[in-house]
Amino acid sequence: MAEQQRLEEDKLRIKNWKRWGPYLSERQWGTVREDYSQDGDCWNYFTHDQSRSRAYRWGEDGLLGFTDRQCRLCYGLALWNGKDPILKERLFGLTGPEGNHGEDVKENYYYLQSTPTHSYMKSQYKYPQDEFPYHKLIDVNRQRSVDEREYELEDTGVFDDNKYWDVIAEYAKADDQDILCKTTVWNRSSNESVIHVIPTLWYRNTWIWGCKHEGCTRKANIKQTKQMTFECTHQTLNDMVWRCFEVEGQPEAAEVLFTENESNTEKLFGSENYTRYYKDAFHRYIVDGELSAVSPKQKGTKVGVSYKLVVPPGDKVILRSRLTSKPATTDVTTEDDDVDEFELIFTKRISELQQFYQTTFPQVTNKQQVEILQQACAGLLHSKQFYHYIVDDWLKGDPDQITPPSDRLKGRNHEWKHLFNRDVISMPDKWEYPWYASWDLAFHMIPFAHLDPEFAKSQLLLFLREWYMSPSGQIPAYEFAFDDVNPPVHAWAVFRVYKLTAPRGSRDHIFLARCFQKLILNFTWWVNRKDPDGNNVFSGGFLGLDNIGVFDRSKPLPTGGRLEQADGTGWMAFFCCQMLDISLELALVDPSYEDMASKFLEHFVSIVVAINGQQGKGGLYDEEDGFFYDKLRLDDNHSEYLRVRSMVGLMPLYACLVLENKNTEKLKDFTKRTKWFLENKPELRSSVTFKTHEGNSRVLLSIPSKEQLLSLLSYLLDEDEFLSPYGIRSLSKKHEKHPYILQVGEQQHRVDYVPAESNTYLFGGNSNWRGPIWLCVNFLIVEALERYDYFYQDDVIVECPTGSGNRMRLKQVAMEICRRLVSLFEVDEMTGERPCHGDNHKYADEWKDLLLFHEFFDAENGRGCGASHQTGWTALVVDCINKMAQANTK
């Protein structure tokens, strides 16, 4: 199969198929790494308005573009409808302070298709024909409260009467260094319209800073060698040639524009410019009519070919170009530019894409689910981004630039001076979160394991390397605060990817062992930092769940004392399970790992005893409610449960592992130590459940006992508590009528059920864990239920939903949750609409085949909320679809 062969060639370094890809960010402005301010206000230090005139230090952004894996040479589109005040070179959105729910992109764009090597990619952007309502979007959203819906681009009316352009960008690789670029521009209105389209090629500025680290270079150069042909030269990238095709049937010929990717310092700061031509030249030339803005020299570091297109109603125009490694001779034959050959390559690559997905997911045959799966994979693959951030250099500033305020040396991320990031990394969302989040990335790698096993493994290993992981063993969280604490899901992702990427007997033990060694450091960091008293009950702070608590769990408590967290403790038991499972797997090849298996078994059992308490007392499980809660401990003698019924209390479900006697009996030392441990620690034996199935003895290690499991499931599957039509809520619906209230002095702390966007400003207000559906934690519940079912089988049958009389085994419950999650994206037969699109009726009509994979979803109607392109962990819907297809086949 062609795509699999390309992946293999790339893995063996026969060809560099993944050098070029969608690694261009969608927002470089407003990021921490571009912020050199004293107060750390990244939104105001580098604004959207400045982005067209100011060179970036650490990356680039663009519209529907691509770049090489080190972001040296970039390609993107610029658009102008003849009415906008600015040239559209990048996506627009609100900053954190401007949005009523934090930062939010205000554009309509979609990732439609991609192969893992990006041998074919397709994306789409909807561009209004009337003036883009920049100020209206800012003003209306500023006026709205947290209790109101966000004001979106569609709400402004700019898409009414179909007065917009569909701009479709497609890329196909004829070879690993030969990229065909096709832009199809559709006029969706009923009138003839004019649009300026400027395919643009530019070099990231790596020469002006005076830096000495890897990636700093001499100035690059692009020059025109003949009509519509450009030669690109860079110190560390092979020479490239870009050829643009003529467009037939247009009244005006294309116009070549040159400038430099340099800051317009006079406009930005009122200081004298150091060069004559600047980054904003194309905007000034096309929009402002400033003819002297572009360079007449036919060379520079940024070139655009400007097409003024007149397009009849309902019709299209196609633009074509080709970026290739420079041939041995500079002569370019007409055969290279043959349109028939060009289109033939696209047809072939599209066919190979379909073949790849059919082979990778052979049991997924439902047409609608195939479309969902492919667009989810496209979003995941398009969210790979070049990420560059060297903390030590960033803190000190560059030699040839103004020295930043000295306060920064003790400010944000100053304890991470070892951090050297210069890699292509899977991002949560390349506009709203154009920086990695370590726990997000762990979830991304589960669907990635199906698509590109080597990439999945390399990403997980990367975050454990010494230039990422802290010497203390902490994994960096995200650029706003690398020392924040994310849930410890890395070990789980490592082991799942290990098993998903090859059949038993052919798995990558070296990858598993390399990760395990570093994960021991991370586990030790958790134990030392989050269980300082050594009682096996853990804190951890907000743990990625933003506003789920009664108060901000990452700050000192207003009550004093400390918080014992059910999720923190549950996560650590889950971490223990994974480390035990990995060490047992490695021990089958290398017996020296048996000692580590014993260590993690004993640590796990100790955590189980601590969270459950002795004789039901002192732990985090409330016998009265039959549920796990955080506990506020004021001193050794005074504590109380914080009875917020939330995902926090369900997370202990994750911590379960089934040991097979047929496997463990091969490990003599582990078996001997386990037997001694259980015989000599009878108080711990209750944490282990034994069962024999078809002559094979099995052991279940889990936090909840069978009785506790049934109690938790009665809540989880209750439609008046956690079970939504679209998955498991992050907060019980019970709190809609019965909010949790904690009075501390004169201040009231309150938790209400809020099924969609947040109604508080905790953590910026752009995420909400007080009710909505999150696929990441739902997926872990699905997997846990499958493990419990494997052990208990017919011994545990529950009502689903609770009180319905419909009885299911736990594996059937898992599939029911998958079905509800997948239904977020399926067309409702009655309405013709997808729940994820809410009440936006355009998606029931002309936009019906376009999908968005949001950060989280309204638990009552399924509407997508938060970041609109967070295909990262929402791409777990791929695995849900695949699980359902496999279950149906069985």
Side-chain angles (χ1 to χ4, degrees), residues 371-391:
E371 291 173 352
I372 296 167
L373 182 148
Q374 287 196 14
Q375 286 197 47
C377 290
L380 187 68
L381 289 161
H382 273 86
S383 295
K384 292 158 70 175
Q385 176 189 306
F386 171 74
Y387 184 86
H388 195 197
Y389 188 18
I390 303 172
V391 171

Side-chain angles (χ1 to χ4, degrees), residues 627-663:
F627 201 79
F628 288 97
Y629 297 115
D630 283 351
K631 181 179 281 187
L632 181 62
R633 185 167 294 283
L634 300 173
D635 55 46
D636 291 342
N637 299 314
H638 298 87
S639 65
E640 66 175 285
Y641 290 117
L642 300 179
R643 286 187 167 84
V644 179
R645 203 167 291 158
S646 72
M647 187 63 70
V648 164
L650 296 176
M651 285 176 173
L653 283 171
Y654 303 160
C656 63
L657 176 64
V658 179
L659 302 182
E660 300 270 8
N661 184 58
K662 64 182 180 182
N663 294 326

Side-chain angles (χ1 to χ4, degrees), residues 841-856:
H841 301 302
K842 277 196 170 293
Y843 288 100
D845 193 6
E846 59 264 31
W847 301 0
K848 61 183 174 62
D849 295 326
L850 302 174
L851 279 161
L852 291 173
F853 297 88
H854 283 78
E855 183 181 6
F856 55 95

Side-chain angles (χ1 to χ4, degrees), residues 428-574:
D429 178 316
K430 288 204 300 187
W431 194 95
E432 189 153 333
Y433 302 114
W435 28 263
Y436 61 77
S438 57
W439 86 300
D440 294 57
L441 181 134
F443 287 104
H444 301 181
M445 293 308 112
I446 306 308
F448 250 122
H450 304 289
L451 304 172
D452 189 347
E454 291 307 308
F455 181 77
K457 289 188 286 187
S458 67
Q459 290 277 283
L460 292 169
L461 190 56
L462 180 66
F463 277 71
L464 302 175
R465 294 308 302 265
E466 52 274 22
W467 54 90
Y468 277 71
M469 176 184 269
S470 166
S472 68
Q474 185 177 10
I475 295 173
Y478 38 72
E479 67 176 29
F480 272 90
F482 283 125
D483 55 1
D484 263 359
V485 183
N486 280 178
V489 292
H490 213 83
W492 164 77
V494 164
F495 201 44
R496 293 295 290 122
V497 166
Y498 165 79
K499 291 193 284 188
L500 285 167
T501 50
R504 182 173 288 279
S506 304
R507 291 171 179 164
D508 191 345
H509 281 82
I510 293 177
F511 158 74
L512 190 62
R514 290 178 71 190
C515 290
F516 181 75
Q517 291 158 12
K518 292 296 188 71
L519 286 166
I520 292 172
L521 299 179
N522 184 235
F523 185 88
T524 304
W525 176 85
W526 266 89
V527 171
N528 290 340
R529 293 291 297 272
K530 301 304 171 183
D531 180 25
D533 297 333
N535 60 9
N536 294 305
V537 175
F538 291 80
S539 58
F542 85 111
L543 284 174
L545 307 187
D546 294 43
N547 64 343
I548 201 165
V550 184
F551 24 68
D552 186 341
R553 301 190 299 170
S554 64
K555 295 180 179 178
L557 303 180
T559 57
R562 69 177 187 271
L563 197 62
E564 296 176 348
Q565 295 181 212
D567 55 340
T569 308
W571 280 125
M572 278 305 290
F574 180 62

Side-chain angles (χ1 to χ4, degrees), residues 220-236:
N221 185 56
I222 304 172
K223 64 180 180 180
Q224 186 168 359
T225 56
K226 56 180 64 177
Q227 186 179 11
M228 306 291 277
T229 302
F230 311 90
E231 193 172 295
C232 311
T233 307
H234 189 277
Q235 183 181 347
T236 65

Side-chain angles (χ1 to χ4, degrees), residues 713-719 723 798-806:
L713 290 175
S714 70
Y715 289 112
L716 186 144
L717 300 176
D718 189 337
E719 292 180 314
L723 186 61
V798 297
E799 283 188 308
C800 181
T802 299
S804 67
N806 186 27

Side-chain angles (χ1 to χ4, degrees), residues 639-807:
S639 65
E640 66 175 285
Y641 290 117
L642 300 179
R643 286 187 167 84
V644 179
R645 203 167 291 158
S646 72
M647 187 63 70
V648 164
L650 296 176
M651 285 176 173
L653 283 171
Y654 303 160
C656 63
L657 176 64
V658 179
L659 302 182
E660 300 270 8
N661 184 58
K662 64 182 180 182
N663 294 326
T664 56
E665 67 183 5
K666 301 173 187 176
L667 308 174
K668 303 302 182 184
D669 287 348
F670 174 76
T671 301
K672 181 179 178 181
R673 173 63 185 173
T674 302
K675 182 179 179 182
W676 181 94
F677 181 69
L678 295 176
E679 287 176 352
N680 290 274
K681 301 278 187 177
E683 72 277 10
L684 306 182
R685 188 179 174 87
S686 60
S687 303
V688 181
T689 307
F690 299 88
K691 181 179 172 65
T692 300
H693 177 68
E694 296 180 353
N696 180 38
S697 177
R698 291 174 178 166
V699 174
L700 174 67
L701 304 174
S702 66
I703 285 182
S705 65
K706 185 177 179 180
E707 292 71 23
Q708 290 174 331
L709 174 65
L710 291 171
S711 178
L712 291 171
L713 290 175
S714 70
Y715 289 112
L716 186 144
L717 300 176
D718 189 337
E719 292 180 314
D720 292 326
E721 294 262 4
F722 286 98
L723 186 61
S724 153
Y726 305 103
I728 306 303
R729 299 178 175 98
S730 49
L731 185 80
S732 171
K733 194 174 181 179
K734 165 198 169 183
H735 293 301
E736 182 176 41
K737 295 180 179 177
H738 305 283
Y740 180 81
I741 297 173
L742 179 67
Q743 195 74 33
V744 181
E746 297 181 357
Q747 188 174 4
Q748 185 185 89
H749 297 268
R750 178 185 178 112
V751 177
D752 293 272
Y753 172 69
V754 182
E757 289 89 355
S758 174
N759 64 353
T760 78
Y761 286 110
L762 269 179
F763 291 89
N766 58 341
S767 294
N768 182 27
W769 286 85
R770 294 185 175 181
I773 308 298
W774 292 77
L775 262 80
C776 52
V777 290
N778 269 256
F779 188 75
L780 290 177
I781 289 173
V782 166
E783 285 205 337
L785 291 174
E786 290 173 329
R787 293 194 296 274
Y788 285 117
D789 181 84
Y790 181 72
F791 181 80
Y792 285 116
Q793 303 202 26
D794 289 332
D795 287 353
V796 172
I797 295 179
V798 297
E799 283 188 308
C800 181
T802 299
S804 67
N806 186 27
R807 301 186 65 78

Side-chain angles (χ1 to χ4, degrees), residues 113-152:
Q113 288 181 318
S114 182
T115 58
T117 64
H118 312 295
S119 57
Y120 178 73
M121 298 185 290
K122 182 179 182 180
S123 55
Q124 182 172 339
Y125 173 70
K126 293 185 178 292
Y127 184 43
Q129 293 181 358
D130 287 334
E131 182 178 338
F132 195 95
Y134 292 104
H135 294 297
K136 189 174 185 180
L137 287 165
I138 294 171
D139 293 342
V140 174
N141 277 288
R142 267 182 176 158
Q143 294 166 9
R144 293 197 171 187
S145 72
V146 290
D147 296 313
E148 295 177 274
R149 289 270 292 272
E150 296 164 7
Y151 187 66
E152 305 294 359

